[in-house]
Amino acid sequence: MKIGALELLVIFVVILLVIGPDKLPQYARKFGNAMREFRKASADVTQEIKESVIDPLEEAQKPLREAMEPLDELDRSLKADVKSVEDEWKSIGKKPPKTTDAPAQQGPSASAEENPSSPASAPEKENVENGGDTP
């Protein structure tokens, strides 16, 4: 509930009529002191609740959170695995996209024979050059 300017004006006029203009500053001072004390008391109570209730609860929850971390990681991993299986299941029966950019290779042995400078064919080449002797 919000108090508008008109409501404040009505409240001020009623207070002025009830208290009188000569005692108004004295009561305003008392009201200000009371508000200050109320704010101080509420801040103290809030701090006390935080120190006696919230902080111990957070300390008690800390080992539980640490224990839950591996389970959360496992949960994320399982969800990712289930998602990949679902994607593969949905792709069954669909035609794979055609790629005409590169010719199909016949496996790793075909690439080693085509490229004699590759590391996979280098020992065989040395062995043949040395007459079959291994170094």
Side-chain angles (χ1 to χ4, degrees), residues 74-92:
L74 179 64
D75 181 46
R76 287 189 295 272
S77 172
L78 286 174
K79 285 181 180 179
D81 290 344
V82 167
K83 176 71 174 149
S84 67
V85 168
E86 286 176 350
D87 291 343
E88 289 178 19
W89 182 259
K90 289 177 184 176
S91 68
I92 293 177

Side-chain angles (χ1 to χ4, degrees), residues 1-133:
M1 183 173 143
K2 294 185 178 181
I3 299 176
L6 184 61
E7 288 89 0
L8 284 175
L9 182 63
V10 170
I11 291 171
F12 181 72
V13 169
V14 169
I15 290 174
L16 187 62
L17 291 174
V18 171
I19 295 176
D22 53 333
K23 294 184 179 179
L24 186 61
Q26 178 185 0
Y27 281 101
R29 212 173 299 119
K30 287 181 181 179
F31 180 74
N33 288 337
M35 289 301 294
R36 189 177 314 113
E37 289 297 320
F38 176 75
R39 286 184 183 147
K40 182 180 176 187
S42 67
D44 290 344
V45 169
T46 302
Q47 183 67 24
E48 182 67 29
I49 289 173
K50 184 178 185 299
E51 289 175 356
S52 65
V53 177
I54 295 173
D55 289 344
L57 284 177
E58 287 178 355
E59 288 296 320
Q61 289 177 351
K62 190 175 183 180
L64 294 174
R65 285 190 197 118
E66 290 173 359
M68 289 296 293
E69 284 178 13
L71 294 176
D72 290 338
E73 185 176 324
L74 179 64
D75 181 46
R76 287 189 295 272
S77 172
L78 286 174
K79 285 181 180 179
D81 290 344
V82 167
K83 176 71 174 149
S84 67
V85 168
E86 286 176 350
D87 291 343
E88 289 178 19
W89 182 259
K90 289 177 184 176
S91 68
I92 293 177
K94 293 183 179 179
K95 294 181 181 178
K98 294 183 181 180
T99 56
T100 57
D101 296 342
Q105 293 185 356
Q106 298 172 355
S109 62
S111 64
E113 291 173 3
E114 292 173 6
N115 190 359
S117 65
S118 69
S121 64
E124 295 173 21
K125 186 176 180 182
E126 287 178 11
N127 194 11
V128 171
E129 291 174 355
N130 292 334
D133 296 334

